[in-house]
């Protein structure tokens, strides 16, 4: 039964007229129209297309494989898979054409050919769309470039400031580690420069052109750590990204993965990390697919991993896997010979970042800083220098500028900071006395470290030998 449409049209007639009108419209408005059979041979081509292609007549095209006439044609693709290509841009005779290709089917649904329409004269109408596409492509490429730059190292091994014997030996070991392409374990207190050295090792290695990816394990919630490491498959759980997300191992493929504070890793994740290190393959959450990766691991910790293993908080097999090439970073108090160079470097950085004049240290300030224990290492030193610079307008920083910033040793106060009668003010002494005591301790420590060599001691403290001799006399220090 045929349903009527209007007063004199049935559905079949209506569709035939509609299709013919559509084809006539395409034929009139297109630069060219053609059809191919189920073998990809040209079965029909209109005169405009013949002229545009530079042919003498339709007979030069009919019966020929479409690629002989249009080398980059995709008409055969439409015939083979039965899927239309509704909007495409193709170059023919050095001119861009907007083309549309649709499959032709018989009553049974069998593919019998395909129709193609070349909309060359409509390209200008698509200019806003093409421009927007080009803009998005540029933005994507620019974002990828910026991300690639962020994934590369910020420091080299020479960025580790130090000229003392212990620092020179450390940098020698780091350069050797860079060439071996094996797992490295950096051991050192907080603020001693572990991340900087990891950057430097990567930059000096054969992987320097590949990504450097860091993750601070202590800063990532335990429930998210596996996803951060191994990635998430599309729709792995409620709220997961439909496109999935790559983990740090996948992002670092070919390069280096820096695992900071590895001693804080939960035991469950430790077992999975061990497998990755052994097999060099990962399995994203919610996926059954195994992905091969090529990643060099540099781990760092401020904890005693041996003690954590003994306490059952760190897997022994993972410890041995990470501890292939251990490098111990000395605390600042064990490389005071680098203090002057570090202060100069940090003060210059602070001045550049803040826009303030670069400060200079007086001999009393150098002595004060050399006497301090630096539990926070270089990070604490930077903080102290920046604070002292913020609290004074003077171009020079003296011991007095640091006395209110850095906590004094409890032994500096005979009553441990609290008077017998409960009046804490009784423990406060004149600033000159406090500074003098700090100077005395600094000179004493320097003399001990140099074995009594006064020339070297004066150089270490940044004072003249005459001043050193005078201080030794004033403080009644015994020196052989």
């Amino acid at each position: 039964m045929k349903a009527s449409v209007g007063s004199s049209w049935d559905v079949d007639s209506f569709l035939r007229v509609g299709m013919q009108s559509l084809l006539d419209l395409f034929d009139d408005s297109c630069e060219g129209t053609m059809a191919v059979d189920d073998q990809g041979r040209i079965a029909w081509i209109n005169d405009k297309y013949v002229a545009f292609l530079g042919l003498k007549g339709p007979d030069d095209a009919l019966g020929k494989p479409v690629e002989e006439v249009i080398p980059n044609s995709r008409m055969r693709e439409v015939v083979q898979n039965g899927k239309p290509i509704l909007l495409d841009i193709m170059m023919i005779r050095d001119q861009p054409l907007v083309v549309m290709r649709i499959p032709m089917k018989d009553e049974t649904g069998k593919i019998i050919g395909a129709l193609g329409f070349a909309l060359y004269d409509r390209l200008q109408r698509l200019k806003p769309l093409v421009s927007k596409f080009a803009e998005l492509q540029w933005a994507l490429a620019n974002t990828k470039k910026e991300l690639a730059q962020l994934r590369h190292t910020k420091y080299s091994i020479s960025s580790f400031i130090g000229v003392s014997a212990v620092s020179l030996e450390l940098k020698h070991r780091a350069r050797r580690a860079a060439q071996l392409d094996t797992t490295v374990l950096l051991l050192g207190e907080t603020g001693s420069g572990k991340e900087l050295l990891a950057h430097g090792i990567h930059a000096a290695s054969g992987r320097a052109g590949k990504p450097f990816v860091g993750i601070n394990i202590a800063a990532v919630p335990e429930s998210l750590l596996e996803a951060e490491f191994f990635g998430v498959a599309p729709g792995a759980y409620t709220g997961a990204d439909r496109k999935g997300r790559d983990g740090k191992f996948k992002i670092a493929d070919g390069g280096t993965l820096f695992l900071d504070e590895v001693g804080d890793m939960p035991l469950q994740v430790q077992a999975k990390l061990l497998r990755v290190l052994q097999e060099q393959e990962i399995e994203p959450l919610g996926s059954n697919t195994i992905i091969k990766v090529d990643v060099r691991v540099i781990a760092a910790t401020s904890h005693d991993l041996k003690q954590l293993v003994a306490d059952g908080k760190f897997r022994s097999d993972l410890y041995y896997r990470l501890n292939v090439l251990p490098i111990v970073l000395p605390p600042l108090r064990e490389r005071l010979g680098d203090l002057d160079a570090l202060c100069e470097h940090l003060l210059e950085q602070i001045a550049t970042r803040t826009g303030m004049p670069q400060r200079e240290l007086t001999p009393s300030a150098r002595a004060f800083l050399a006497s301090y224990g630096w539990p926070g290492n270089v990070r604490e030193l930077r903080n102290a220098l920046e604070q002292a610079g913020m609290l004074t307008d003077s171009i020079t920083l003296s011991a007095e500028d640091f006395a209110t910033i850095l906590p004094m040793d409890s032994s500096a106060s005979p009553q441990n900071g609290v008077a017998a009668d409960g009046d804490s003010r009784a423990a406060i002494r004149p600033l000159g006395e406090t500074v003098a005591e700090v100077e005395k301790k600094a000179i004493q420590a320097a003399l001990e470290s140099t074995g009594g060599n006064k020339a070297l001691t004066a150089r270490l403290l940044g004072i003249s030998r005459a001043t050193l001799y005078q201080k030794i006399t004033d403080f009644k220090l015994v020196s052989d």
Side-chain angles (χ1 to χ4, degrees), residues 12 26 43 104 109 146 164 189 199 251 297 307 343 390 397 414 422:
D12 289 344
F26 276 129
M104 298 171 59
E146 291 178 358
S164 63
E189 297 178 3
H199 276 263
I251 296 172
V297 169
Q307 187 59 49
C343 288
M390 293 289 185
L397 300 177

Side-chain angles (χ1 to χ4, degrees), residues 2-15:
K2 298 179 180 179
S4 62
V5 178
S7 58
S8 58
W9 294 89
D10 60 30
V11 172
D12 289 344
S13 299
F14 184 81
L15 290 176

Side-chain angles (χ1 to χ4, degrees), residues 38-66:
D38 59 353
Q39 300 300 312
R41 296 170 299 201
I42 297 177
W44 172 79
I45 185 169
N46 71 351
D47 293 336
K48 283 199 295 184
Y49 215 2
V50 168
F52 179 79
L53 294 173
L55 304 175
K56 294 179 180 179
D59 291 340
D60 289 346
L62 295 176
K64 295 182 179 180
V66 65

